[in-house]
Amino acid sequence: RNELDKTGAPCTVYDAVFNDDVVKQAVAYRKLKVFLVELVLQWVGQKYALSLDPKYKLPHRKYMGERPEPQMIRVDKKSMIEEIDTPDEEPSFPLRARPAAPKKQPEPAGGKGKG
């Protein structure tokens, strides 16, 4: 969408929407924030066939222009755990059991110190 930048010059704005928890984590962890910004630049560049300058500068505001509409993501209410039957085929990789813990040697009958 078209907006005006802080100098009043026309600019094109692309919206990116993140979950509130992700935004809070990005504020706390700079590396995550940098990763998310670079990811969005890549997505926008690919989607709109643009060559975006990797030397970006983030504005000190959450959005440009009018406040964007809240975004709602529908989530299926399916159970996170699903019962499965026995598999139809064997796995294509070898299965190995965990190594057994070493067994302790039994103490001799009669105990220590007798004699």
Side-chain angles (χ1 to χ4, degrees), residues 8 12 16 32 49 62 74 76 91:
T12 303
L32 177 60
K62 292 184 178 181
R74 279 179 256 153
D76 290 338

Side-chain angles (χ1 to χ4, degrees), residues 2 5 11 27 29 31 35 38 41 45-47 50 63-65 76 80 83-84 87 89-90 96 102 109-110 115:
N2 295 320
D5 67 11
C11 65
V27 169
Y29 301 102
K31 286 184 178 182
F35 170 76
E38 290 176 354
L41 287 173
Q46 280 181 329
K47 184 171 182 173
L50 299 171
Y63 54 87
M64 289 192 68
D76 290 338
M80 297 295 282
E83 297 278 336
I84 59 171
E89 58 187 54
E90 291 295 315
R96 293 189 320 182

Side-chain angles (χ1 to χ4, degrees), residues 9-22:
C11 65
T12 303
V13 176
Y14 298 94
D15 295 318
V17 179
F18 295 98
N19 179 289
D20 289 338
D21 293 335
V22 173

Side-chain angles (χ1 to χ4, degrees), residues 100-111:
K103 294 182 180 180
K104 293 183 180 180
Q105 295 294 329
E107 289 187 26

Side-chain angles (χ1 to χ4, degrees), residues 3-7 11 13 58-65:
E3 294 287 343
L4 300 176
D5 67 11
K6 66 180 179 182
T7 65
C11 65
V13 176
L58 295 176
H60 295 285
R61 51 186 162 176
K62 292 184 178 181
Y63 54 87
M64 289 192 68

Side-chain angles (χ1 to χ4, degrees), residues 43-72:
W43 283 346
V44 169
Q46 280 181 329
K47 184 171 182 173
Y48 297 102
L50 299 171
S51 178
L52 299 172
D53 188 353
K55 295 181 228 155
Y56 59 86
K57 184 175 178 183
L58 295 176
H60 295 285
R61 51 186 162 176
K62 292 184 178 181
Y63 54 87
M64 289 192 68
E66 295 180 22
R67 183 178 180 93
E69 293 292 320
Q71 301 292 312
M72 303 304 244

Side-chain angles (χ1 to χ4, degrees), residues 28-43:
Y29 301 102
R30 187 176 190 285
K31 286 184 178 182
L32 177 60
K33 182 178 181 179
V34 169
F35 170 76
L36 292 172
V37 170
E38 290 176 354
L39 186 64
V40 168
L41 287 173
Q42 182 180 357
W43 283 346

